[in-house]
Amino acid sequence: MTASLGSSIDNLASPEAEQTVLEIRGQSTLAGEVKISGAKNSALVLMAGALLCPDECRLRNVPELLDVARMGQILSELGVSLRQQGDVVDINARNLSESQAPYELVSQLRASFFAIGPILARLGVAHVPLPGGCAIGARPVDLHVRGLQAMGAHVDIDGGVVNAYIPGSKKRLQGAKFYMDYPSVGATETLMMAATLAEGETILENAAQEPEVEDLANFCISMGARIKGAGTNTITIEGVPRLHSSDYSIIADRIEAGTFLVAGAITKSEIELVGIVPDHLAAAVAKLQEMGVKVVSTGRDHLRVLPTENLKAADIQTLPYPGFPTDMQAQFMALMTVSEGSSAITETVFENRLRHVAELIRLGADIRVKGNTALVRGVPALSGAPVLATDLRASAALVLAGLAAQGKTTIFGLHHLDRGYEKLEQKMQKLGARLQRVKTSAKLEASNGNPSVESVLQ
Ligand code: UD1
């Protein structure tokens, strides 16, 4: 059956979803195999990357997520046609005509700002609203803007909209050398995409090395782009005048995979992950091993987590890849709440990403926050309670904590989870977890010091 991405957004974002909560009965042992979906962060940026191509591109292994549906809607509003069949999405940007991205949608999805690079490269002009503030930090776009300026674009910000155009009659950006003050994932992606159609060579120094950046580069290469060094801190792009159609499969989601590894560890269970790239999980696996969890390789694209009785405390500092990912910080904090000893978690990537602390405390965790560090003292057991998901990865942390807790945990604010985890409860149920969505008219206020913020833009 062919469904449009637009229709799936309607289903996922129906007002009823707001009244649906996830009830978890904790302390079941899980067992079995779980197939990991395509990477959300790759899917979002590859969809933007398809704007570079004036022919149809096919993306495979696209996860069915609220964020992906939103991105599809933004592309449609830019004049692009999309067709979705299962996890295959065909994107035809031949008629890309609209240089103005819709405010409402961009403000809900930070990744859609990254489309400024391809829109500008294709049309010579782009107007994209600032993604705005969000629950996990201010997240400016100065590096995106400065990089485009280095490539010859004129950029101004007016009324909350970034307006960019390429001066002169040629309407092509000019290759440039650009040093990034910080290895921002999004800025690396914006600039790499813009540079594929520029005149001459672009060198991005101190670039982000995340696997999703490499995935985007490989997708662009499959369309005829000339890119070297993606996955290292120096990326060289030799611009070409035009890209061509391609058929490309997205990498597995390392954050979803890491979340299931922690699910195995926190429930003392044996779980086999299938369809992953184990190398992308090196930092998370190393930290699990330090905590006493056995993780073994069972195949080229498999990893198995084995039951662990005595979890030990460990310290974590989030860093750009290949350091420990900020997107796994909340899930590991859940694990540390029931590990023996004291753990310190320092968040260095985003300035306000410890909001799940208050919710974990509702479940009986012993956590104190000092600046950007959370000090977690392990307790023998958590106990179920109603909790509020404050952002995407915080939701996953609460699911994990609920799986470990005694009694019933009820998670409110499920729309965050639907943004980034494909069929999480079905996958968990298949492993033997006792959890289900139920409708409720009950309301849950945010914990003290934990304001409820609806727009989370990861
Ligand atoms: C991406 C991921 C997100 C992940 C993050 C870090 C997507 C859709 N999202 O977000 O899941 O948590 O990488 O791994 O891929 N910054 C600036 N100026 C800029 C850009 C960023 O100061 O122009 C700062 C941000 O405020 C933040 C830090 O750099 O403090 C990291 O942000 P960045 O790497 O850009 O993250 P995103 O691309 O937004």
Side-chain angles (χ1 to χ4, degrees):
M1 196 189 88
T2 303
S4 79
L5 285 164
S7 72
S8 49
I9 195 172
D10 292 341
N11 296 337
L12 286 164
S14 72
E16 286 173 16
E18 296 298 310
Q19 295 145 31
T20 305
V21 295
L22 187 64
E23 279 187 0
I24 306 175
R25 307 242 166 218
Q27 299 206 316
S28 295
T29 303
L30 312 185
E33 205 177 85
V34 59
K35 166 88 175 73
I36 300 303
S37 302
K40 171 187 81 95
N41 288 350
S42 273
L44 295 176
V45 72
L46 267 66
M47 287 171 79
L51 295 176
L52 290 165
C53 178
D55 300 320
E56 182 160 284
C57 285
R58 171 162 284 190
L59 294 178
R60 299 177 190 268
N61 203 25
V62 178
E64 192 183 340
L65 300 169
L66 180 53
D67 275 3
V68 168
R70 278 188 182 138
M71 192 67 169
Q73 223 176 37
I74 291 168
L75 297 191
S76 301
E77 300 223 3
L78 294 170
V80 173
S81 73
L82 292 104
R83 267 195 334 271
Q84 182 189 18
Q85 199 158 19
D87 66 355
V88 176
V89 177
D90 293 324
I91 302 175
N92 192 330
R94 179 174 300 130
N95 299 325
L96 173 70
S97 51
E98 186 53 69
S99 60
Q100 177 111 32
Y103 178 83
E104 268 305 308
L105 289 165
V106 174
S107 65
Q108 290 172 43
L109 180 65
R110 178 177 168 88
S112 59
F113 181 80
F114 309 167
I116 192 167
I119 298 173
L120 182 63
R122 275 281 308 278
L123 300 180
V125 55
H127 308 279
V128 183
L130 283 166
C134 79
I136 63 175
R139 303 176 88 175
V141 291
D142 55 314
L143 291 167
H144 303 243
V145 168
R146 280 172 32 216
L148 293 174
Q149 285 169 331
M151 284 190 248
H154 283 204
V155 187
D156 68 62
I157 301 177
D158 187 21
V161 176
V162 180
N163 301 298
Y165 74 94
I166 305 174
S169 54
K170 284 200 206 154
K171 295 284 173 230
R172 278 182 81 185
L173 289 163
Q174 299 299 308
K177 195 168 182 176
F178 184 67
Y179 177 87
M180 314 206 359
D181 290 346
Y182 184 89
S184 153
V185 174
T188 303
E189 293 170 341
T190 294
L191 301 178
M192 188 166 72
M193 289 189 280
T196 58
L197 294 177
E199 211 165 23
E201 184 181 79
T202 298
I203 301 175
L204 300 177
E205 291 179 325
N206 198 29
Q209 303 176 50
E210 269 69 2
E212 295 75 20
V213 172
E214 202 177 343
D215 206 26
L216 174 64
N218 287 335
F219 171 52
C220 291
I221 291 167
S222 77
M223 294 190 290
R226 296 174 61 189
I227 303 175
K228 287 199 182 117
T232 74
N233 63 4
T234 306
I235 305 178
T236 306
I237 306 115
E238 181 69 47
V240 295
R242 191 182 195 279
L243 297 181
H244 55 72
S245 79
S246 158
D247 185 330
Y248 188 84
S249 187
I250 287 168
I251 56 168
D253 196 309
R254 64 197 165 97
I255 307 302
E256 187 199 7
T259 303
F260 276 97
L261 287 179
V262 176
I266 206 165
T267 59
K268 307 182 193 329
S269 303
E270 181 165 335
I271 299 177
E272 175 111 5
L273 310 191
V274 178
I276 57 165
V277 185
D279 281 353
H280 294 168
L281 288 152
V285 168
K287 199 48 71 178
L288 284 171
Q289 286 169 339
E290 190 185 328
M291 296 178 76
V293 180
K294 284 202 184 66
V295 181
V296 291
S297 167
T298 46
R300 196 180 46 84
D301 62 352
H302 290 224
L303 271 183
R304 185 182 297 168
V305 53
L306 300 176
T308 311
E309 277 310 319
N310 300 309
L311 291 163
K312 290 182 292 203
D315 295 339
I316 281 178
Q317 186 175 12
T318 62
L319 288 169
Y321 191 87
F324 189 91
T326 174
D327 287 351
M328 283 303 301
Q329 179 256 106
Q331 300 89 317
F332 268 75
M333 189 183 295
L335 185 61
M336 284 160 175
T337 64
V338 290
S339 300
E340 204 184 316
S342 293
S343 305
I345 301 182
T346 306
E347 173 59 56
T348 75
V349 179
F350 293 110
E351 70 268 32
N352 186 19
R353 208 179 195 182
L354 293 172
R355 291 157 30 88
H356 38 279
V357 166
E359 301 303 312
L360 289 170
I361 289 173
R362 290 206 223 221
L363 296 171
D366 180 351
I367 310 173
R368 277 171 307 144
V369 175
K370 271 192 184 167
N372 62 345
T373 298
L375 301 164
V376 185
R377 227 176 299 162
V379 294
L382 299 174
S383 60
V387 285
L388 182 67
T390 50
D391 69 50
L392 169 56
R393 304 303 169 188
S395 328
L398 295 175
V399 171
L400 295 169
L403 291 174
Q406 291 165 345
K408 186 173 89 174
T409 297
T410 307
I411 304 183
F412 289 72
L414 281 192
H415 51 292
H416 293 301
L417 200 62
D418 294 332
R419 290 188 37 229
Y421 283 91
E422 188 181 44
K423 302 188 174 74
L424 184 75
E425 61 269 31
Q426 286 95 319
K427 289 185 181 187
M428 288 286 184
Q429 278 161 355
K430 219 177 130 213
L431 294 171
R434 293 178 298 163
L435 76 184
Q436 58 174 348
R437 284 185 192 231
V438 293
K439 292 271 169 61
T440 180
S441 54
K443 294 245 181 320
L444 183 68
E445 292 301 318
S447 321
N448 215 5
N450 197 0
S452 174
V453 178
E454 291 305 313
S455 67
V456 177
L457 319 151
Q458 269 194 72

